[in-house]
Short mmCIF file of all heavy atoms in Angstrom, two decimals:
data_model
loop_
_atom_site.label_atom_id
_atom_site.label_comp_id
_atom_site.label_asym_id
_atom_site.label_seq_id
_atom_site.Cartn_x
_atom_site.Cartn_y
_atom_site.Cartn_z
N ALA A 136 -6.48 3.03 -17.10
CA ALA A 136 -5.23 3.67 -17.59
C ALA A 136 -5.66 5.14 -17.96
O ALA A 136 -6.76 5.48 -18.20
CB ALA A 136 -4.65 2.89 -18.72
N GLU A 137 -4.57 6.05 -17.99
CA GLU A 137 -4.80 7.35 -18.25
C GLU A 137 -3.58 8.09 -18.67
O GLU A 137 -2.41 7.58 -18.49
CB GLU A 137 -5.46 8.13 -17.07
CG GLU A 137 -4.61 8.15 -15.89
CD GLU A 137 -5.37 8.87 -14.81
OE1 GLU A 137 -5.81 9.98 -15.03
OE2 GLU A 137 -5.47 8.29 -13.68
N SER A 138 -3.71 9.20 -19.37
CA SER A 138 -2.57 10.03 -19.71
C SER A 138 -2.43 11.13 -18.65
O SER A 138 -3.22 11.19 -17.71
CB SER A 138 -2.79 10.66 -21.10
OG SER A 138 -3.92 11.51 -21.09
N GLY A 139 -1.34 11.95 -18.70
CA GLY A 139 -1.14 13.00 -17.76
C GLY A 139 -0.65 14.24 -18.38
O GLY A 139 -0.97 14.57 -19.55
N THR A 140 0.24 14.92 -17.68
CA THR A 140 0.71 16.21 -18.13
C THR A 140 1.69 16.07 -19.35
O THR A 140 2.08 17.14 -19.91
CB THR A 140 1.34 17.00 -17.08
OG1 THR A 140 2.53 16.19 -16.52
CG2 THR A 140 0.39 17.34 -15.96
N GLU A 141 2.04 14.82 -19.68
CA GLU A 141 2.93 14.65 -20.86
C GLU A 141 2.17 14.94 -22.13
O GLU A 141 2.80 15.08 -23.18
CB GLU A 141 3.56 13.25 -20.88
CG GLU A 141 2.54 12.09 -21.26
CD GLU A 141 1.66 11.69 -20.16
OE1 GLU A 141 1.79 12.23 -19.03
OE2 GLU A 141 0.79 10.75 -20.37
N GLN A 142 0.82 15.07 -22.06
CA GLN A 142 0.05 15.34 -23.24
C GLN A 142 -0.85 16.70 -22.89
O GLN A 142 -2.07 16.49 -22.67
CB GLN A 142 -0.96 14.19 -23.56
CG GLN A 142 -0.23 12.96 -24.05
CD GLN A 142 0.25 13.00 -25.47
OE1 GLN A 142 0.03 13.99 -26.15
NE2 GLN A 142 0.78 11.90 -25.89
N PRO A 143 -0.16 17.81 -22.84
CA PRO A 143 -0.99 19.00 -22.53
C PRO A 143 -2.12 19.22 -23.53
O PRO A 143 -2.02 18.97 -24.74
CB PRO A 143 0.06 20.19 -22.71
CG PRO A 143 1.33 19.51 -22.51
CD PRO A 143 1.21 18.10 -23.08
N SER A 144 -3.32 19.61 -22.96
CA SER A 144 -4.52 19.86 -23.67
C SER A 144 -5.22 18.64 -24.20
O SER A 144 -6.32 18.72 -24.70
CB SER A 144 -4.34 20.88 -24.87
OG SER A 144 -3.84 20.14 -26.00
N LEU A 145 -4.68 17.48 -23.92
CA LEU A 145 -5.30 16.20 -24.28
C LEU A 145 -5.39 15.29 -23.06
O LEU A 145 -4.52 15.29 -22.24
CB LEU A 145 -4.63 15.49 -25.42
CG LEU A 145 -4.60 16.08 -26.82
CD1 LEU A 145 -3.64 15.40 -27.73
CD2 LEU A 145 -6.03 16.16 -27.44
N ASN A 146 -6.46 14.51 -23.01
CA ASN A 146 -6.57 13.58 -21.85
C ASN A 146 -7.13 12.28 -22.40
O ASN A 146 -8.04 12.25 -23.24
CB ASN A 146 -7.57 14.19 -20.78
CG ASN A 146 -7.74 13.22 -19.64
OD1 ASN A 146 -8.78 12.56 -19.40
ND2 ASN A 146 -6.71 13.10 -18.80
N TYR A 147 -6.59 11.22 -21.86
CA TYR A 147 -7.00 9.81 -22.27
C TYR A 147 -7.43 9.11 -21.00
O TYR A 147 -6.64 9.08 -20.09
CB TYR A 147 -5.92 9.19 -22.99
CG TYR A 147 -6.03 7.56 -22.95
CD1 TYR A 147 -7.06 6.94 -23.50
CD2 TYR A 147 -5.02 6.86 -22.24
CE1 TYR A 147 -7.10 5.57 -23.50
CE2 TYR A 147 -5.09 5.54 -22.15
CZ TYR A 147 -6.12 4.83 -22.74
OH TYR A 147 -6.22 3.40 -22.75
N LEU A 148 -8.65 8.54 -20.99
CA LEU A 148 -9.00 7.74 -19.85
C LEU A 148 -9.65 6.39 -20.45
O LEU A 148 -10.38 6.41 -21.39
CB LEU A 148 -10.17 8.34 -19.11
CG LEU A 148 -9.89 9.70 -18.37
CD1 LEU A 148 -11.10 10.26 -17.72
CD2 LEU A 148 -8.81 9.52 -17.36
N ARG A 149 -9.05 5.30 -19.91
CA ARG A 149 -9.56 4.00 -20.33
C ARG A 149 -10.54 3.55 -19.21
O ARG A 149 -10.09 3.20 -18.08
CB ARG A 149 -8.46 2.95 -20.45
CG ARG A 149 -8.84 1.66 -21.14
CD ARG A 149 -7.62 0.80 -21.42
NE ARG A 149 -7.95 -0.33 -22.21
CZ ARG A 149 -8.02 -0.34 -23.59
NH1 ARG A 149 -7.73 0.79 -24.17
NH2 ARG A 149 -8.31 -1.40 -24.30
N LEU A 150 -11.82 3.50 -19.48
CA LEU A 150 -12.89 3.32 -18.60
C LEU A 150 -13.48 1.88 -18.67
O LEU A 150 -13.68 1.37 -19.74
CB LEU A 150 -14.00 4.37 -18.78
CG LEU A 150 -13.57 5.84 -18.75
CD1 LEU A 150 -14.75 6.69 -18.98
CD2 LEU A 150 -12.92 6.18 -17.37
#
Side-chain angles (χ1 to χ4, degrees):
E137 60 183 307
S138 61
T140 56
E141 73 280 359
Q142 294 280 3
S144 80
L145 291 172
N146 181 253
Y147 156 66
L148 297 175
R149 192 173 188 85
L150 304 178

